[in-house]
Amino acid sequence: MTDYDRSASGRPSLRRTVGVALEIVQSRLELIGIELSEEKDRLLTIAFLGLAGMLFGLLALITLTALVAVLFWDTYRWQALCAIALAYVLAGLACAALARRMLREAPLPFEATLNEFQKDRDALRGD
């Protein structure tokens, strides 16, 4: 066998390896795209529902405040309005604490893609 025959037989192996590596990269990029699209859709849905919920909640609070003010106008108007304001502050603080906790406990974005990259790295190392 000549040097030319050995180098020619080695090329398909190199081409095959590069081809497989490119296929792996392509599949991982497709996975990133899918996860990004899913994350965008999820965040838009959550944002819309959150804003709608806040709007209706605000309307309910305005109505409740007006109702309590009218009911207690002659007797305990200041005390009633202070109690409502305190309830609103406590509810706002509870919501802020819950949102903060949810952000801290949220899963990593692109977790599936990162796991696949880890598997690829382990496979290439021979682990």
Side-chain angles (χ1 to χ4, degrees), residues 66-89:
L67 176 66
V68 170
V70 168
L71 285 176
F72 291 100
W73 191 255
D74 291 333
T75 55
Y76 300 106
R77 68 177 155 235
W78 297 112
Q79 293 88 342
L81 291 175
C82 287
I84 289 174
L86 180 63
Y88 292 164
V89 167

Side-chain angles (χ1 to χ4, degrees), residues 8-24 124:
S9 65
R11 285 187 185 179
S13 176
L14 177 62
R15 284 184 183 168
R16 197 173 323 127
T17 303
V18 170
V20 169
L22 289 175
E23 286 176 12
I24 290 172
L124 290 173

Side-chain angles (χ1 to χ4, degrees), residues 70-121:
V70 168
L71 285 176
F72 291 100
W73 191 255
D74 291 333
T75 55
Y76 300 106
R77 68 177 155 235
W78 297 112
Q79 293 88 342
L81 291 175
C82 287
I84 289 174
L86 180 63
Y88 292 164
V89 167
L90 292 176
L93 290 173
C95 289
L98 180 61
R100 185 175 182 188
R101 190 183 86 212
M102 288 176 71
L103 285 173
R104 284 186 178 168
E105 295 174 358
L108 280 175
F110 310 112
E111 189 171 0
T113 301
L114 294 173
N115 289 336
E116 289 301 317
F117 277 128
Q118 180 67 37
K119 288 178 187 176
D120 294 341
R121 187 174 53 203

Side-chain angles (χ1 to χ4, degrees), residues 21-100:
L22 289 175
E23 286 176 12
I24 290 172
V25 169
Q26 179 183 1
S27 68
R28 298 309 176 246
L29 290 175
E30 288 172 357
L31 182 59
I32 288 172
I34 290 168
E35 285 187 319
L36 184 60
S37 177
E38 289 175 351
E39 190 69 17
K40 179 189 74 168
D41 290 344
R42 186 182 73 82
L43 288 176
L44 284 174
T45 301
I46 289 171
F48 175 76
L49 290 174
L51 288 173
M54 288 189 323
L55 174 67
F56 290 121
L58 182 61
L59 291 172
L61 289 176
I62 290 170
T63 304
L64 176 67
T65 301
L67 176 66
V68 170
V70 168
L71 285 176
F72 291 100
W73 191 255
D74 291 333
T75 55
Y76 300 106
R77 68 177 155 235
W78 297 112
Q79 293 88 342
L81 291 175
C82 287
I84 289 174
L86 180 63
Y88 292 164
V89 167
L90 292 176
L93 290 173
C95 289
L98 180 61
R100 185 175 182 188

